[in-house]
Amino acid sequence: MKPRIDEYKYGEVRYCDCMDEDYGLPSLEDKSWELCLTDPPYNKKFNGYHSKLYNMKNYRENIIYYKDNMKPEEYQEWCMCWFRTLKKITKSIIISVGITNLEMWFRCTNVSDILYNYNRMGKFGSRITIFNKIEPWLYYGNCKQQFNLNVLEFERMDKHNCLHPCPRDYNVVEFIIKRLEPTSVIDPFLGSGTTAEVCEKLGIKWLGYEINEVYSQDIEKRLKNIRVEPKQISLETF
């Protein structure tokens, strides 16, 4: 029997493939999570990722190399596989897809709304997004707060604080989650743990998947000593 959402811990990271039959997305109940917010690999032809903070010997021994050099049709099939599963288990989805993949997502899916984030990357631009300063986030679902072609502009965070080469910006994720106001969030490509950090701070139930367990160091650092924001109480409740 699949576990209900209230049987999960307050926040949990599962270090496995998000499509693992026993512990991944297929193991979750239909519509058991309110929002998926994620930033999947863009298929930018990098054979695994590494950081200067992580020496190459440990990198080769410990990092699981996931394929980032698929043929276009293979990448499309892979994306649609986990996307279809997310549609079953969540009520709404928002994905950072990358400029180069935007056409594929519009061709293969019915996008409800779109949010553009302009990266003021400065000297901290990553290898992946240095030439793609505009990041589109695609939204799927019905929501009382939609984006209506909003354009955000944030300073990109210092990637050298993380082992992960392309940590997701805290301010962008915080804006999205505060705008959508979900009660639970799942991220199948957790990376450095930005989604977990934001949800933990806001007191929102979350679940994350990350195939490369080496990034647990980033995730644990992000979650350490977080102060949970106090809940706002409406005067109407008195």
Side-chain angles (χ1 to χ4, degrees), residues 36-215:
C36 167
L37 189 152
T38 195
D39 177 27
Y42 292 168
N43 203 38
K44 299 294 288 185
K45 315 307 177 189
F46 292 103
N47 188 20
Y49 294 127
H50 71 278
S51 165
K52 290 181 179 179
L53 295 180
Y54 201 70
N55 72 60
M56 287 302 296
K57 181 178 184 296
N58 288 336
Y59 170 64
R60 293 191 184 99
E61 290 178 354
N62 295 302
I63 280 193
I64 299 171
Y65 283 80
Y66 56 84
K67 290 180 65 178
D68 196 51
N69 58 349
M70 302 181 197
K71 294 179 180 179
E73 59 272 19
E74 292 176 333
Y75 181 69
Q76 176 179 310
E77 182 180 358
W78 177 72
C79 287
M80 293 306 108
C81 180
W82 52 259
F83 178 74
R84 286 192 297 267
T85 306
L86 284 172
K87 287 187 69 176
K88 290 180 59 180
I89 66 174
T90 66
K91 297 177 182 178
S92 57
I93 302 169
I94 185 162
I95 309 172
S96 173
V97 300
I99 286 289
T100 56
N101 299 317
L102 196 56
E103 185 275 333
M104 181 196 80
W105 283 93
F106 271 101
R107 173 167 41 84
C108 297
T109 64
N110 295 318
V111 179
S112 303
D113 208 344
I114 187 168
L115 170 70
Y116 289 102
N117 174 43
Y118 175 74
N119 284 318
R120 292 188 287 114
M121 293 182 288
K123 65 180 179 179
F124 300 127
S126 76
R127 296 181 300 152
I128 300 173
T129 59
I130 189 67
F131 298 114
N132 293 334
K133 292 188 177 182
I134 299 296
E135 292 183 330
W137 291 79
L138 303 184
Y139 175 74
Y140 302 87
N142 297 313
C143 181
K144 58 185 179 182
Q145 291 283 2
Q146 289 191 310
F147 296 112
N148 299 320
L149 297 175
N150 276 313
V151 178
L152 304 180
E153 182 176 356
F154 292 115
E155 189 75 48
R156 194 166 187 83
M157 71 175 291
D158 183 353
K159 72 185 182 70
H160 299 296
N161 287 332
C162 297
L163 292 176
H164 197 284
C166 191
R168 174 53 56 198
D169 305 287
Y170 181 93
N171 290 331
V172 176
V173 175
E174 182 185 50
F175 170 86
I176 292 171
I177 290 180
K178 282 187 172 182
R179 186 71 176 266
L180 297 180
E181 298 181 322
T183 57
S184 60
V185 178
I186 188 169
D187 187 344
F189 304 99
L190 191 59
S192 68
T194 311
T195 302
E197 181 184 12
V198 173
C199 289
E200 195 77 16
K201 183 178 180 181
L202 298 179
I204 298 171
K205 189 183 295 291
W206 60 270
L207 172 65
Y209 291 92
E210 176 49 50
I211 197 169
N212 287 331
E213 192 167 356
V214 66
Y215 297 139

